[in-house]
């Protein structure tokens, strides 16, 4: 799956929100400032709170990311499976150029393998599946 320039720019320039759900179906959503594109088809962020989203992903293995530009009323929702990496080569590679370990004694890398992308525009195409 290839991310378009608009998708990449939106993730880089706007504040993404990560959504998860527990096995019991309770939703959780919150801002995720470290989220970025790892490569086409994959998003990545640094998990350091180990609370609701972390536990939900451990239980269900699923995550969604919504990002929108309020000014132009457009955005995207990315849905897929979540992989948690701690102490493995990928985690070390992703974390090495950061200073996040200076602030948080424990941090893991979460990779979201995007399986579906939806349009979040404020028009008649809202909710249209793109991929």
């Amino acid at each position: 799956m290839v991310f378009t320039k608009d998708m990449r720019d939106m993730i880089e320039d706007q504040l993404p929100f990560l959504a998860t759900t527990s096995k019991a179906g309770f939703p959780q959503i919150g801002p995720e400032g470290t989220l970025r594109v790892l490569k086409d088809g994959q998003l990545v962020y640094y998990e350091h709170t180990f609370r609701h989203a972390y536990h939900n992903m451990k239980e269900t293995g699923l995550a969604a990311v919504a990002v929108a530009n309020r000014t132009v009323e457009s955005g995207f929702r990315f849905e897929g499976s979540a992989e948690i990496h701690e102490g493995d080569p990928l985690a070390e590679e992703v974390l090495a150029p950061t200073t996040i370990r200076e602030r948080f004694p424990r941090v893991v890398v979460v990779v979201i393998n995007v399986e579906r992308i939806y349009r979040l525009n404020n028009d008649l195409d809202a909710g249209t599946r793109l991929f």
Side-chain angles (χ1 to χ4, degrees):
M1 176 172 308
V2 176
F3 294 141
T4 66
K5 182 176 180 341
D6 286 343
M7 291 173 188
R8 288 174 174 272
D9 290 348
M10 184 81 58
I11 291 167
E12 184 176 321
D13 297 339
Q14 305 299 322
L15 179 61
F17 280 75
L18 174 71
T20 62
T21 186
S22 68
K23 269 188 178 177
F26 294 106
Q28 179 279 334
I29 188 166
E32 192 44 68
T34 65
L35 191 128
R36 63 182 174 81
V37 172
L38 179 62
K39 63 182 180 181
D40 276 328
Q42 291 185 321
L43 302 174
V44 66
Y45 82 95
Y46 318 136
E47 173 61 55
H48 56 80
T49 65
F50 301 98
R51 292 199 176 98
H52 305 279
Y54 175 78
H55 292 291
N56 289 348
M57 287 183 290
K58 292 277 279 187
E59 283 186 350
T60 69
L62 301 172
V65 173
V67 60
N69 181 320
R70 187 176 187 152
T71 304
V72 297
E73 297 182 332
S74 70
F76 302 97
R77 184 175 73 239
F78 305 89
E79 299 177 352
S81 60
E83 299 173 2
I84 298 171
H85 295 268
E86 183 171 14
D88 63 14
L90 178 64
E92 295 308 314
E93 177 185 332
V94 170
L95 294 172
T98 75
T99 59
I100 195 160
R101 288 179 173 144
E102 293 173 11
R103 291 185 56 208
F104 302 101
R106 181 178 174 211
V107 61
V108 300
V109 169
V110 177
V111 175
I112 300 169
N113 298 299
V114 177
E115 297 159 10
R116 293 170 299 282
I117 302 173
Y118 295 87
R119 184 177 303 283
L120 295 182
N121 292 8
N122 186 14
D123 59 21
L124 294 176
D125 289 331
T128 301
R129 185 170 173 175
L130 300 172
F131 299 100

